């Protein structure tokens, strides 16, 4: 099987709706499936998936492509790795040879980084469970209440005190120094005289990607006088902290099933919750939740509960996380933990039911922020009231629901003890101050709508849409017109790419490659590719036939002829004033030929 055959076999077997549904909640509307875009924040679904076309497109941000593009974008994978994942999913044999030397090198590095992390996870867990060196670390985990099954499931381990234990272990597996350094698991010596292990004498927590592959590690000291308390893997080609959540690979099914996710701070919080049967719990890798992590949660959940520690740092992290989660369209609530207890301690001390009862009593996004902000000010003084209201006003920017806004207004009026009229005047002034940003956003949005309006009235756009949907007509089109027949510069470039693809297919002799998907994938320019996808999806309900294309060819040629005649008339005027008779004669001959042809076609009035 050639590489092209391999890719085409995946494309034919794969169901793009099935794949995308693992990451986005889709709803059938007409011919297509729609949902909230996983690549940008939105509250109204503009992400569209076509099972027939095997393509997706977002009318909001322009992201689009086929199954390969989707998996590459959603999981930050290079092309060949995405192809391998899809091949395994849909039972397509993977060819031994990779497509080209450049891609082979890039994929080989990622493959080896995954292998290195897999070996490291085995190394750390072997020392924890099977070697006397891991005795103290095992006691540490057992003291936290972790069972053997839990330790094995989460692949906990121990990094020995020795400086180069893991380095030498991995060197024996045949990995070069530069690649071990790239993995982040070893560091070069300060004098550049060798390498040493990043994690030493630490309890190890393995960090996984969505597919359950080890991609990084967290190391925790076991003695109170050791520093730093926590040490984590750096970012690498296979590990981006802001795009992953600890424990998500174990929690994703339950999150999808319940529509709810619980975010905690620490590794042990996640592990304890799962051991006690609360399996929709994840942790941010660091206390600051990111937009990418929020979007990841929004693909699976409708409600998110934050259960950060009750200390000051935890409360600040909660406030930051609330806005980020709310902006993704999630329903956000806060689990208020008893003082001095984190989720791990609470569950071990009082059991899973105690934690679940706190879940039921979780307070809303509005109430939590309101409580925390108002506690900071003296509401008995005028200055305190002013300061409190000024800090509360930005909350309205994250609330679209009229009922929630009304609730917030009434709560502020009641608790700050001010008039509703005064609050509304301050709110109006605040919104006006923010109007410049809003106006800019509105302008961008209206421009987008106007662009679509132009496209909807544009024959050239419809013609290209027809070509993409009936690619077997490209040969005929190629014989009769060139890209220069198109007046829109973007459409000329699109037609150039379509012709280029057609020429490649014709040279190969394999006309089965002349498909809508291959035409779309032929675009290396992302802006043009987005325009092509928009044309495909925007005109999906527009009926196209071979007859439409044939008539369209005539229309394009007649329009081109009309444009040429207008150009000739301009030249005639110039020659009349200061030209020579030879030029005049040649131009008149051309003009009369065009006029005669136009009258025969009925396209030009004589």
């Amino acid at each position: 099987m050639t590489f092209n055959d391999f890719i085409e076999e995946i494309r034919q077997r794969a169901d793009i709706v099935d794949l995308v549904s693992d990451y986005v909640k889709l709803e059938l509307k007409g011919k297509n499936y729609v949902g909230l875009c996983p690549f940008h924040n939105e509250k109204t679904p503009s992400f569209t998936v076509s099972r027939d076309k095997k393509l997706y497109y977002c009318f909001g941000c322009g992201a689009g492509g086929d199954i390969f593009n989707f998996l590459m974008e959603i999981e930050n994978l290079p092309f060949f790795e995405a192809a391998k994942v899809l091949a395994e999913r849909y039972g397509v044999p993977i060819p031994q040879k990779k497509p080209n030397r450049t891609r082979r090198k890039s994929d080989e590095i990622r493959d080896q980084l995954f292998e290195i992390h897999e070996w490291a996870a085995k190394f750390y867990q072997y020392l924890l469970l099977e070697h006397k060196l891991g005795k103290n670390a095992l006691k540490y985990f057992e003291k936290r209440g972790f069972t053997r099954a839990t330790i094995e499931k989460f692949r906990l381990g121990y990094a020995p005190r020795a400086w180069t234990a893991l380095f030498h272990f991995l060197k024996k597996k045949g990995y070069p120094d530069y690649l071990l350094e790239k993995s982040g698991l070893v560091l070069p010596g300060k004098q550049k005289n060798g390498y040493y292990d990043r994690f030493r004498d630490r309890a190890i927590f393995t960090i996984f990607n969505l597919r359950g592959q080890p991609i990084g590690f967290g190391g925790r000291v076991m003695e109170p006088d050791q520093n730093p308390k926590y040490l984590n893997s750096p970012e690498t080609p296979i590990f981006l902290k802001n795009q992953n959540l600890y424990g998500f690979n174990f929690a994703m099914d339950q999150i999808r099933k319940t529509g709810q996710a619980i975010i905690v701070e620490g590794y042990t919080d996640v592990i304890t919750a799962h051991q006690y049967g609360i399996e929709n719990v994840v942790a941010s890798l660091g206390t600051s939740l990111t937009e990418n992590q929020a979007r990841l949660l929004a693909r699976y959940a409708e409600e998110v509960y934050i259960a950060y520690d009750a200390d000051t740092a935890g409360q600040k992290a909660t406030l930051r996380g609330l806005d980020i989660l709310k902006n993704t369209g999630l329903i956000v609530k806060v689990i208020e933990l008893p003082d001095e207890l984190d989720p791990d301690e609470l569950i071990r001390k009082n059991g899973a039911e105690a934690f679940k009862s706190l879940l039921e009593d979780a307070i809303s996004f509005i109430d939590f922020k309101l409580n925390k902000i108002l506690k900071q000010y003296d509401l008995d003084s005028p200055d305190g009231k002013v300061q409190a209201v000024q800090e509360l006003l930005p909350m309205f920017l994250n609330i679209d629901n009229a009922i929630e806004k009304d609730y917030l207004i009434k709560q502020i009026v009641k608790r700050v003890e001010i008039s509703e009229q005064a609050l509304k005047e301050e709110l109006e002034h605040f919104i006006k101050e923010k109007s410049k940003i809003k106006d800019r956003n509105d302008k961008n949005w209206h421009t987008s709508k106007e662009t679509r309006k132009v496209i909807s009235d544009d024959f050239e756009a419809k013609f290209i849409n027809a070509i993409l949907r009936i690619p077997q007509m490209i040969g005929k089109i190629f014989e009769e017109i060139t890209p220069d027949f198109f007046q829109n510069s973007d459409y000329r470039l699109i037609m150039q790419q379509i012709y280029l693809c057609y020429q490649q297919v014709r040279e190969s002799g394999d006309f089965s490659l002349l498909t809508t998907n291959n035409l779309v994938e032929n675009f290396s320019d992302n802006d043009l590719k987005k325009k092509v996808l928009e044309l495909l999806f925007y005109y999906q309900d527009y009926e196209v036939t071979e007859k439409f294309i044939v008539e369209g060819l005539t229309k394009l040629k007649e329009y081109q002829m009309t444009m040429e005649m207008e150009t000739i008339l301009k030249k005639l005027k110039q020659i009349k004033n200061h030209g020579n008779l030879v030029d005049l004669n040649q131009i008149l001959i051309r003009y009369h030929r065009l006029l005669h042809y136009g009258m025969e076609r009925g396209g030009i009035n004589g």
Side-chain angles (χ1 to χ4, degrees), residues 526-553:
N526 284 331
D527 290 336
L528 281 181
K529 186 172 182 177
K530 287 178 181 179
K531 289 181 184 297
V532 168
L533 286 163
E534 184 167 4
L535 288 174
L536 269 173
F537 279 90
Y538 194 83
Y539 293 113
Q540 61 187 320
D541 295 326
Y542 185 83
E543 185 177 356
V544 296
T545 62
E546 291 186 7
K547 181 182 177 183
F548 169 80
I549 292 177
V550 172
E551 292 175 349
L553 282 170

Side-chain angles (χ1 to χ4, degrees), residues 38-51:
F39 304 117
H40 81 288
N41 291 339
E42 64 175 9
K43 296 176 182 178
T44 302
S46 61
F47 185 80
T48 306
V49 183
S50 170
R51 176 170 270 145

Side-chain angles (χ1 to χ4, degrees), residues 292-349:
N292 286 328
Q293 290 169 332
R295 283 199 290 268
L296 174 60
L297 287 166
R299 295 174 204 159
Y300 299 84
E302 296 171 357
E303 290 184 307
V304 172
Y305 295 79
I306 295 184
Y308 285 171
D309 295 356
D311 59 26
T312 303
Q315 295 299 304
K316 287 183 178 179
T318 300
L319 285 170
R320 289 192 299 270
L322 285 171
D323 289 331
I324 291 171
L325 291 166
K326 186 71 174 175
N327 286 337
T328 63
L330 288 160
I331 298 170
V332 189
K333 296 183 179 180
V334 179
I335 298 173
E336 295 193 298
L337 297 165
D339 290 342
E340 308 301 326
L341 287 180
D342 57 28
D344 166 47
E345 295 165 333
L346 174 69
I347 294 170
R348 284 192 289 115
K349 183 178 179 180

